Amino acid sequence: MSATNEEILGRADANDLEAILSITNDDMDSIIHAVKDNADAIFTWDYEKGARPALNKLYEKAKGAQWNGETDLPWETAVDPVELARNSVTNAPIDQQVDLTGTCFDGWGEKEWTDLNVEFQNWTLSQFMHGEQGALLCTAKIVETVPWIDAKYYAATQVMDEARHVEVFAKYLDEKLSGHYPINAHLKLLLDDIIEDPRWDMTYLGMQIMVEGLALAAFGFIQQMTTEPLLKQLLRYVMSDEARHVAFGVISLQEYYKELTGPEIRERQEFAFEAAVRMRDRFLQQEVWDRFDVDVKEVVKIVMQAPERQVFQTMLFSKIVPNCKKLGLLDAGDGWLRQRFTELGVIQFEDWTDTGEEYATLDEVSKDREAASA
Ligand SMILES: [Fe+2]
Ligand SMILES: [Fe+2]
């Protein structure tokens, strides 16, 4: 028996806007947020390095690809937040074709749209920063819980990568933009679910495949579009690391899923679906709208209609879907996840490049070093 939407998402209809917007972050003032980590820490006495060659290769690669967030990025670059927002893919998701007469945007001028775009920019980068901290905690957890020594070694390098990512996003927000946003309610719900799950492979599925798969696609999109040199360089380097992280998930789960039964695989499919919906829901950016004098439900409906918005949002699944396919999650059982991804409108990415090997071509850090020493 498969779980219902109600059991997986807490609502019967995945697209129920009222229910989506009713999920809010009601803990904005605390400095810390505690989550129960239900997993056992696992020692292994099998120290044979390279027993899993693909993981060993990834580990050796990661050791040579470390960079320093303080000294390897051009922090002296002056950044104009208004200019940055104007040229951003995250900006005013309102198509010129959409008629705004009689809506809360009626009468909005240059100033209001500019303010909104600056807020979108801050919100987007803040959520990346929070997601990076989620990755930091998840990979520290994987070091403890995964039973394979090659995976513990590799995960330890990812802990360092994620610390650097949190550091550079926080520094960019503090020094170049104007303030942090608290974590989005849907992202928080997802990160909590991933950390609470006692099964070690669920950390990988939630973080490496889903959250990092989305981050890799989003960073790639923004990195290509932005003309701001510091952010561009920051994202190039973060992406080099993220490509390894997603590969780590694909390589590890490919092996582990072979041992699982049909019902166990179904639970992984359901978790992948839940994560996909949470990540889609967060792009309603409800925390931004709360800062403007608008009806959140109304503006969200307008925003959802904008075609470029839909392109950006579906593109975010361009790594997740092929990786789920490679892991056998799309078609396992009766194709349950294929059906769900079809309903979410993202199945068209199934044959795009998966991320098992892509990290080698995305290694911009090594490319820069080779160019500098040539
Ligand atoms: Fe990261
Ligand atoms: Fe990562």
Side-chain angles (χ1 to χ4, degrees):
M1 251 312 270
S2 67
T4 62
N5 273 352
E6 188 71 51
E7 288 161 327
I8 299 172
L9 302 172
R11 59 183 190 257
D13 173 8
N15 299 321
D16 179 348
L17 197 55
E18 202 96 37
I20 297 170
L21 293 175
S22 74
I23 299 172
T24 53
N25 182 351
D26 49 13
D27 183 23
M28 303 283 226
D29 300 323
S30 309
I31 293 292
I32 61 160
H33 168 55
V35 185
K36 182 82 180 151
D37 172 349
N38 297 295
D40 290 335
I42 303 291
F43 281 91
T44 174
W45 310 125
D46 179 355
Y47 291 99
E48 190 194 343
K49 184 174 185 290
R52 291 179 168 77
L55 290 180
N56 188 48
K57 185 179 162 197
L58 204 57
Y59 174 50
E60 292 302 319
K61 177 89 188 164
K63 284 193 272 185
Q66 296 293 311
W67 49 280
N68 185 332
E70 290 284 0
T71 56
D72 288 333
L73 296 177
W75 289 108
E76 68 284 0
T77 308
V79 178
D80 176 353
V82 171
E83 196 57 29
L84 180 69
R86 187 171 293 140
N87 295 312
S88 169
V89 289
T90 62
N91 78 6
I94 310 295
D95 192 77
Q96 301 301 325
Q97 312 300 317
V98 179
D99 183 8
L100 300 174
T101 318
T103 72
C104 5
F105 295 126
D106 204 349
W108 271 38
E110 179 76 17
K111 184 186 179 305
E112 286 80 7
W113 290 111
T114 303
D115 289 349
L116 179 67
N117 288 339
V118 167
E119 293 298 319
F120 275 142
Q121 187 74 54
N122 286 345
W123 181 91
T124 302
L125 291 173
S126 295
Q127 301 317 319
F128 288 158
M129 176 182 68
H130 298 309
E132 294 292 357
Q133 188 183 170
L136 175 65
L137 269 56
C138 281
T139 35
K141 182 177 174 181
I142 289 175
V143 172
E144 291 190 338
T145 58
V146 69
W148 310 328
I149 198 72
D150 287 319
K152 286 185 187 292
Y153 288 159
Y154 178 76
T157 69
Q158 189 178 335
V159 174
M160 183 59 222
D161 292 349
E162 304 301 0
R164 181 169 58 241
H165 298 174
V166 180
E167 176 199 342
V168 297
F169 279 112
K171 186 177 166 85
Y172 192 86
L173 279 158
D174 285 338
E175 294 185 5
K176 306 298 177 183
L177 301 182
S178 48
H180 297 186
Y181 265 81
I183 188 167
N184 167 266
H186 304 281
L187 178 61
K188 185 172 177 226
L189 201 60
L190 175 59
L191 294 177
D192 287 2
D193 275 358
I194 296 171
I195 289 172
E196 280 167 2
D197 200 296
R199 296 160 293 188
W200 65 263
D201 68 294
M202 290 297 206
T203 324
Y204 274 98
L205 177 59
M207 181 48 63
Q208 269 82 357
I209 302 301
M210 303 302 294
V211 176
E212 298 192 287
L214 181 134
L216 186 58
F219 294 164
F221 214 67
I222 296 172
Q223 195 269 131
Q224 276 180 7
M225 304 296 285
T226 188
T227 53
E228 198 286 274
L230 171 57
L231 184 62
K232 207 176 184 73
Q233 182 69 338
L234 185 158
L235 290 173
R236 273 182 80 221
Y237 277 14
V238 170
M239 275 179 73
S240 302
D241 297 339
E242 294 304 343
R244 279 196 307 278
H245 304 168
V246 183
F248 178 47
V250 173
I251 293 166
S252 303
L253 294 184
Q254 254 185 322
E255 174 177 343
Y256 185 65
Y257 282 178
K258 290 192 186 109
E259 297 173 17
L260 298 184
T261 62
E264 286 169 334
I265 288 290
R266 170 56 61 87
E267 287 172 6
R268 274 72 188 167
Q269 293 178 308
E270 289 167 359
F271 195 49
F273 171 61
E274 182 201 334
V277 171
R278 302 280 181 234
M279 292 193 297
R280 182 202 62 172
D281 291 349
R282 89 186 171 92
F283 279 94
L284 295 177
Q285 302 177 295
Q286 57 206 83
E287 297 83 4
V288 174
W289 300 116
D290 285 342
R291 293 192 183 182
F292 288 80
D293 185 23
V294 293
D295 176 343
V296 177
K297 203 172 155 193
E298 184 194 344
V299 295
V300 159
K301 278 188 184 150
I302 298 170
V303 167
M304 297 304 275
Q305 293 169 16
E308 68 274 64
R309 183 62 158 200
Q310 288 172 7
V311 170
F312 176 61
Q313 267 182 235
T314 52
M315 280 299 294
L316 297 177
F317 288 84
S318 62
K319 306 283 180 193
I320 290 173
V321 182
N323 286 331
C324 284
K325 185 172 190 178
K326 188 167 190 174
L327 292 172
L329 288 180
L330 272 193
D331 291 307
D334 48 5
W336 187 89
L337 190 59
R338 169 178 296 282
Q339 183 60 36
R340 299 285 98 73
F341 279 175
T342 304
E343 287 160 13
L344 289 177
V346 297
I347 196 67
Q348 66 272 24
F349 298 115
E350 62 171 309
D351 293 319
W352 284 40
T353 319
D354 70 68
T355 317
E357 294 289 338
E358 202 183 23
Y359 67 90
T361 53
L362 284 176
D363 186 1
E364 301 293 326
V365 176
S366 298
K367 285 180 203 164
D368 282 3
R369 285 189 190 146
E370 278 161 28
S373 65

